[in-house]
Amino acid sequence: MSAEVEEMLKRFQNFKNIVGIMVIDNDGIPIKTTMEYNLTLHYAAVMQTLREKAQQVVLDLDATNEFTFLRLRTLRHEVLLCPEVDYFIVVLQLPCD
Amino acid sequence: MPRDSVQETFNRLTELPGVMGAILVDGSGTVLRSNVNESASQVYANRLVQLVTMSRDLVRDVEPSDDLAYVRLRTRKQELMVATESQHTIIVIQDVQSLDQTRRSTSASARNSTAYDRGSVS
């Protein structure tokens, strides 16, 4: 299974817009990353807080709803946050437009 | 910007396909325009302004020369797009199905045009 995960990460990493992919567990510890480790740690910490905040916001607005995806568009990049049960994935990419 | 053109622009925004609601908020968190009921608007405004502030701080923290443009929060039932510029925040509530349809057709046409350029489409 881990060979499949590696293969998938490699495939996505080869897309020309992708800067990096990070898989982070619910405690903010990186499980897998294609980026430099210190930067990953930094993203892991801040994105974990953001993930919790986004989850809270969605539940506050509607307790029957579910937070499924977050996209932060900045001037230079796009940061995607995909929450899963035991972990979350962060992708850093260059915007298409 | 004169008041009528703000209202006009706001109306145009709410009439776009897939837009279920829109809320315009000022710097102090007061709802200026909304086509959603008042109490819900205020709750959306409070929560989402906090989320955007946190996101902006995050972006600046990781890369000081970068800045936040907008945040798209997707949920099972809807997608919320939140953008802030010089004290004002606009929140647009969009229908997930219409958005996905638009995105699918945009990426399909982008792929087709690239294929055409490469000469692989006869």
Side-chain angles (χ1 to χ4, degrees), chain A residues 53 60 64 69 73-74 76, chain B residues 50 63 65-66 69 77:
Chain A
K53 178 73 182 175
D60 284 349
T64 64
F69 197 79
R73 170 67 193 266
T74 76
R76 306 232 215 102
Chain B
Q50 283 172 20
E63 204 166 325
S65 58
D66 205 359
K77 299 181 187 177

Side-chain angles (χ1 to χ4, degrees), chain A residues 59-76:
Chain A
L59 293 177
D60 284 349
L61 295 175
D62 179 354
T64 64
N65 204 353
E66 239 175 270
F67 159 47
T68 60
F69 197 79
L70 180 72
R71 188 187 288 262
L72 289 185
R73 170 67 193 266
T74 76
L75 300 178
R76 306 232 215 102

Side-chain angles (χ1 to χ4, degrees), chain A residues 69-71, chain B residues 70-74 79-81 94 103:
Chain A
F69 197 79
L70 180 72
R71 188 187 288 262
Chain B
Y70 60 78
V71 178
R72 270 191 181 278
L73 180 60
R74 188 176 167 111
E79 188 160 319
L80 301 172
M81 143 101 170
Q94 294 173 280
R103 285 166 182 162

Side-chain angles (χ1 to χ4, degrees), chain A residues 23-38:
Chain A
V23 182
I24 302 160
D25 79 4
N26 290 342
D27 298 323
I29 298 166
I31 303 171
K32 267 224 167 311
T33 180
T34 64
M35 294 183 20
E36 189 263 329
Y37 199 65
N38 286 332

Side-chain angles (χ1 to χ4, degrees), chain A residues 15-20 71 73-79 91-97:
Chain A
F15 284 8
K16 60 181 162 68
N17 285 354
I18 304 275
V19 173
R71 188 187 288 262
R73 170 67 193 266
T74 76
L75 300 178
R76 306 232 215 102
H77 299 117
E78 213 168 10
V79 185
V91 176
L92 189 62
Q93 67 182 14
L94 299 174
C96 308
D97 46 58

Side-chain angles (χ1 to χ4, degrees), chain B:
Chain B
M1 208 183 194
R3 195 167 288 187
D4 317 325
S5 69
V6 171
Q7 189 57 48
E8 230 175 83
T9 310
F10 189 81
N11 291 342
R12 260 191 303 128
L13 182 65
T14 58
E15 281 155 25
L16 288 173
V19 175
M20 301 185 333
I23 306 166
L24 180 64
V25 186
D26 77 1
S28 58
T30 314
V31 174
L32 298 176
R33 297 274 190 284
S34 172
N35 66 344
V36 174
N37 80 65
E38 208 181 302
S39 54
S41 297
Q42 200 56 62
V43 177
Y44 271 93
N46 294 341
R47 298 287 179 275
L48 294 173
V49 168
Q50 283 172 20
L51 185 71
V52 161
T53 311
M54 188 182 217
S55 304
R56 171 170 287 116
D57 291 344
L58 182 162
V59 167
R60 294 229 179 103
D61 183 21
V62 173
E63 204 166 325
S65 58
D66 205 359
D67 199 2
L68 184 70
Y70 60 78
V71 178
R72 270 191 181 278
L73 180 60
R74 188 176 167 111
T75 73
R76 225 175 355 96
K77 299 181 187 177
Q78 62 202 25
E79 188 160 319
L80 301 172
M81 143 101 170
V82 192
T84 313
E85 185 156 340
S86 67
Q87 299 303 312
H88 289 89
T89 303
I90 182 88
I91 299 164
V92 184
I93 305 165
Q94 294 173 280
D95 165 53
V96 163
Q97 265 131 4
S98 335
L99 274 175
D100 287 351
Q101 209 160 4
T102 317
R103 285 166 182 162
R104 253 177 252 133
S105 58
T106 316
S107 67
S109 60
R111 265 201 306 275
N112 288 340
S113 62
T114 322
Y116 183 76
D117 292 341
R118 278 193 254 117
S120 60
V121 175
S122 54

